[in-house]
Amino acid sequence: MQFVQYNEQKQRGTLDFPIAIYHATEHHPQYVMAFHWHVEYEIIRIMEGKLTVTLDDRQVEAKAGDLVFVPGGTLHAGNPENCVYDCVVFDPKMLIRRDDACSVWMQRIVDRDLAVVDLPPRDAAMSAAAEQLFSSMAGKPEGWQLLVRGALYTLFGLAVSKGYLAPTPLRDGKNYRKVAQLKKVLALIEEQYGSPLTLADLSREAGMSPKYFCRFFQEMTHQTPIEYLNACRVEHACCQLLTTDQSVTEVAFSCGFNDLSYFIKTFKKKKGVTPKKYLRSPV
């Protein structure tokens, strides 16, 4: 799986077939899916264990065999427990063709008028379509693009026919504002995680007092602001350790830690191993 940024703006696949697959196990540097969002649609398939997924202001617990549908623009995160999961991320506009009857449905999905608002029930036909989608993306047999496009149409067609695809719930103004405020803070953290950010800096970005901001942030993310900031720094440190020749000390300081021992302690708490042992782990 490629490394994930808070607001991903990367090219998926190719311009003429914009879709990509990612695979996450406990050895991946971003096994814990940090809060982020992207304009593309995402389908997550749980292979083993459990993944608690936050979608804007709600949570779903997905277990082996479940599929999670993430509409474009949704702020989402995933907390795995003994989990292996795959993600397919794609531009749903690839399924829209002019003067095509299917495009009426797909345009409503792109516009977020319709969405799979809950975990769809375990369904043999949905599972078969998902298997075709993920195995075709991973193996790329001859004609894999046809298989992938067909599987996506089948998944959304089944979601419509079985009642899994429904009008997107109207969000009241308060919840909408809360998600927007959180996105602003997370964007600041992603942009300036290497700087000495303070609680005052983060609360100011949200337009709140530090005391109220702490309650707000924990309610939305189930972490304190400092816990999230440190987790973000550790994830970036993992990427730098694996992709650069920087020393552990250099990585620590470039990721916003001003104390090496605190960095090692925080890294071990998040990853279960020290930075040096992490480098020797299979990825």
Side-chain angles (χ1 to χ4, degrees):
M1 184 184 287
Q2 299 175 27
F3 298 132
V4 175
Q5 294 182 345
Y6 161 72
N7 178 6
E8 294 182 90
Q9 299 178 0
K10 62 184 67 171
Q11 174 65 47
R12 313 287 182 182
T14 60
L15 288 174
D16 60 347
F17 206 68
I19 185 169
I21 187 170
Y22 307 95
H23 178 69
T25 70
E26 62 180 341
H27 299 299
H28 192 272
Q30 291 185 318
Y31 175 55
V32 176
M33 187 189 297
F35 276 94
H36 66 289
W37 67 278
H38 36 70
V39 297
E40 299 92 346
Y41 211 100
E42 181 170 356
I43 299 176
I44 306 171
R45 180 175 66 161
I46 315 304
M47 306 298 294
E48 298 176 14
K50 182 175 76 171
L51 184 69
T52 301
V53 183
T54 302
L55 302 167
D56 282 339
D57 55 355
R58 64 190 181 89
Q59 281 192 338
V60 296
E61 286 194 357
K63 299 179 181 179
D66 284 334
L67 296 172
V68 181
F69 290 75
V70 185
T74 302
L75 183 65
H76 57 288
N79 185 31
E81 294 181 33
N82 301 315
C83 188
V84 174
Y85 61 96
D86 293 331
C87 309
V88 162
V89 184
F90 62 97
D91 184 348
K93 292 178 182 176
M94 67 183 281
L95 301 177
I96 296 177
R97 293 291 181 269
R98 184 175 297 180
D99 300 324
D100 182 352
C102 298
S103 296
V104 175
W105 286 105
M106 291 310 306
Q107 191 63 58
R108 296 184 69 188
I109 291 168
V110 169
D111 294 340
R112 294 189 67 178
D113 291 338
L114 293 173
V116 181
V117 296
D118 293 302
L119 285 179
R122 301 292 179 86
D123 180 280
M126 291 278 283
S127 295
E131 173 60 29
Q132 177 174 303
L133 170 64
F134 283 88
S135 62
S136 298
M137 283 294 304
K140 290 184 170 53
E142 187 72 19
W144 67 274
Q145 296 96 333
L146 294 170
L147 293 170
V148 166
R149 190 183 294 274
L152 287 171
Y153 276 127
T154 299
L155 281 169
F156 285 114
L158 288 168
V160 172
S161 66
K162 293 176 179 290
Y164 306 153
L165 197 66
T168 304
L170 293 176
R171 301 187 182 278
D172 62 53
K174 182 179 178 182
N175 282 352
Y176 180 84
R177 288 194 302 272
K178 287 168 70 175
V179 171
Q181 285 172 303
L182 181 61
K183 281 186 174 182
K184 286 182 64 179
V185 175
L186 298 184
L188 177 66
I189 291 174
E190 180 61 34
E191 292 166 3
Q192 300 186 26
Y193 66 88
S195 304
L197 286 172
T198 65
L199 182 60
D201 295 327
L202 302 179
S203 60
R204 188 181 307 113
E205 187 71 10
M208 303 175 185
S209 69
K211 184 176 180 180
Y212 181 79
F213 172 71
C214 287
R215 292 201 302 269
F216 159 80
F217 195 93
Q218 188 142 20
E219 174 191 339
M220 296 292 288
T221 69
H222 305 285
Q223 301 176 73
T224 69
I226 301 306
E227 285 173 341
Y228 181 90
L229 175 59
N230 283 338
C232 176
R233 287 169 167 166
V234 166
E235 296 302 328
H236 281 279
C238 288
C239 297
Q240 290 189 31
L241 287 169
L242 293 175
T243 59
T244 73
D245 294 326
Q246 290 181 312
S247 68
V248 171
T249 301
E250 290 172 327
V251 168
F253 280 87
S254 69
C255 289
F257 292 94
N258 56 15
D259 182 277
L260 180 60
S261 61
Y262 180 64
F263 167 66
I264 294 172
K265 178 181 178 181
T266 304
F267 191 100
K268 186 174 182 180
K269 181 179 179 181
K270 298 292 183 183
K271 294 297 179 181
V273 294
T274 64
K276 287 186 176 179
K277 287 185 178 178
Y278 176 81
L279 274 172
R280 298 195 292 268
S281 300
V283 176

